[in-house]
């Protein structure tokens, strides 16, 4: 075990045998069932979409991942789409690298059914990254809170659900407004009820991302807070700890 951990620690960077070192880190993350973050590289704006998946297989020239999710919703990848992947390995911390989606595949589920996943190109190199200062978290298996955005130009609000949240802002999936008229840097009024210790947020925010969802019938709206929201750092910490907590007995 000590020798294996030592080899993992030496696995970062380019140079001779870089491919094998990349595979070593990916295998370590797969064994640990670490969350794999995928960030499409063709995005603009401050609040970018980040997908979550797990590494199911690490092969000679590619890797197989589970169906990417945003919150609890599946998000398909386009063949050829370029992505930045990042994950944590206990021996070295956070690492990231560039890859490309190579198409949809079926992966074993451990039972009689086959599950869908995706094949990704093997990254050329993985580099150490600082752990995110403003970690975005979801509400796990709990129903996501409903949110409403009130643009000044509209009488009726844009209504949706909260996909993820950080101490800086949140990502909302609009459910009832296929043609969204919001623009980057537009000021809107946000109303959302969050769990304790936050409660109701009812204030003006800035739109930092507008993007269609995969089915092109909804929109993702990223908004940024003007300043610190009381209790939000504690809520994010609670959600993060809950995501990594072991399942209850019984």
């Amino acid at each position: 075990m000590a020798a294996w951990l030592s080899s993992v620690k030496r696995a970062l960077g380019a140079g001779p045998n870089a491919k094998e070192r990349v595979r070593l880190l990916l295998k370590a993350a797969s064994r640990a069932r670490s969350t794999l973050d995928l960030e499409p590289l063709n995005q603009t704006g401050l609040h970018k979409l980040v997908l979550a998946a797990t590494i199911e297989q690490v092969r000679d020239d590619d890797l197989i991942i589970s169906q990417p999710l945003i919150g609890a919703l599946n998000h398909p990848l386009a063949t050829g789409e370029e992505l930045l992947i990042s994950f944590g390995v206990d021996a070295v911390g956070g690492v990231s690298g560039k890859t490309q989606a190579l198409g949809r595949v079926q992966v074993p589920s451990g039972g009689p059914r086959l599950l869908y996943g995706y094949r990704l190109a093997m990254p050329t190199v993985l580099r150490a990254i600082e752990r995110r200062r403003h970690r975005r978290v979801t509400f796990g298996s709990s129903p996501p809170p409903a949110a409403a955005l009130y643009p000044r130009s509209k009488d009726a609000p844009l209504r949706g659900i909260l996909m993820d949240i950080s101490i800086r802002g949140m990502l909302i999936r609009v459910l009832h407004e296929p043609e969204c008229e919001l623009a980057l840097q537009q000021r809107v009024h946000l109303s959302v009820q969050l769990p304790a210790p936050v409660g109701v947020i009812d204030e003006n925010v800035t739109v930092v991302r507008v993007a269609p969802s995969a089915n092109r019938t909804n929109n993702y709206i990223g908004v940024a807070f003007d300043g610190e929201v009381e209790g939000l750092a504690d809520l994010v910490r609670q959600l993060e700890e809950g995501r990594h907590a072991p399942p209850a007995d019984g």
Side-chain angles (χ1 to χ4, degrees):
M1 177 63 73
W4 180 80
L5 287 175
S6 178
S7 64
V8 170
K9 291 179 180 179
R10 295 194 302 268
L12 292 175
N17 301 318
K19 179 179 176 181
E20 286 306 311
R21 296 205 302 272
V22 167
R23 292 179 71 251
L24 182 65
L25 287 171
L26 290 167
K27 285 185 174 182
S30 179
R31 289 191 190 98
R33 304 302 293 171
S34 299
T35 299
L36 180 71
D37 289 341
L38 303 96
E39 187 173 312
L41 291 177
N42 61 349
Q43 302 184 83
T44 58
L46 297 177
H47 197 108
K48 295 180 171 62
L49 299 183
V50 178
L51 319 176
T54 54
I55 302 171
E56 301 299 326
Q57 297 177 33
V58 180
R59 308 192 298 188
D60 288 342
D61 298 309
D62 60 15
L63 60 145
I64 306 298
I65 65 168
S66 63
Q67 175 76 41
L69 300 174
I70 299 181
L73 301 177
N74 291 338
H75 187 92
L77 300 177
T79 300
E81 184 175 6
E82 294 185 331
L83 305 157
L84 179 70
I85 61 172
S86 59
F87 54 92
V89 180
D90 287 343
V92 297
V95 297
S96 69
K98 293 181 180 180
T99 184
Q100 188 177 56
L102 300 178
R104 198 180 187 200
V105 296
Q106 288 184 320
V107 297
S109 64
R113 294 195 315 127
L114 290 175
L115 302 178
Y116 283 105
Y118 284 88
R119 190 164 63 94
L120 302 183
M122 185 68 65
T124 303
V125 65
L126 293 172
R127 303 188 186 281
I129 56 173
E130 294 183 6
R131 294 198 177 272
R132 292 184 179 176
R133 182 181 174 189
H134 303 295
R135 181 73 182 181
R136 279 174 279 183
V137 296
T138 67
F139 288 82
S141 59
S142 301
L149 296 173
Y150 295 83
R152 293 179 180 176
S153 60
K154 285 181 175 287
D155 294 327
L158 305 178
R159 298 190 182 276
I161 56 175
L162 189 57
M163 301 304 297
D164 66 44
I165 190 167
S166 76
I167 62 172
R168 294 181 59 190
M170 59 179 60
L171 184 68
I172 298 164
R173 186 172 189 252
V174 178
L175 300 179
H176 305 295
E177 184 65 21
E179 299 297 330
C180 185
E181 300 175 2
L182 297 183
L184 293 178
Q185 302 305 312
Q186 181 176 344
R187 297 284 288 171
V188 296
H189 192 84
L190 167 71
S191 180
V192 61
Q193 171 81 48
L194 295 179
V198 180
V200 175
I201 296 179
D202 195 34
E203 62 181 61
N204 290 329
V205 294
T206 301
V207 175
V208 293
R209 176 158 183 81
V210 179
S213 64
N215 60 16
R216 303 287 174 176
T217 61
N218 304 108
N219 289 86
Y220 292 116
I221 308 298
V223 298
F225 303 124
D226 289 347
E228 182 178 349
V229 175
E230 185 175 355
L232 187 53
D234 290 334
L235 175 60
V236 169
R237 188 179 307 110
Q238 291 171 14
L239 293 171
E240 181 74 2
E241 291 173 352
R243 188 174 70 177
H244 295 296
D249 294 335

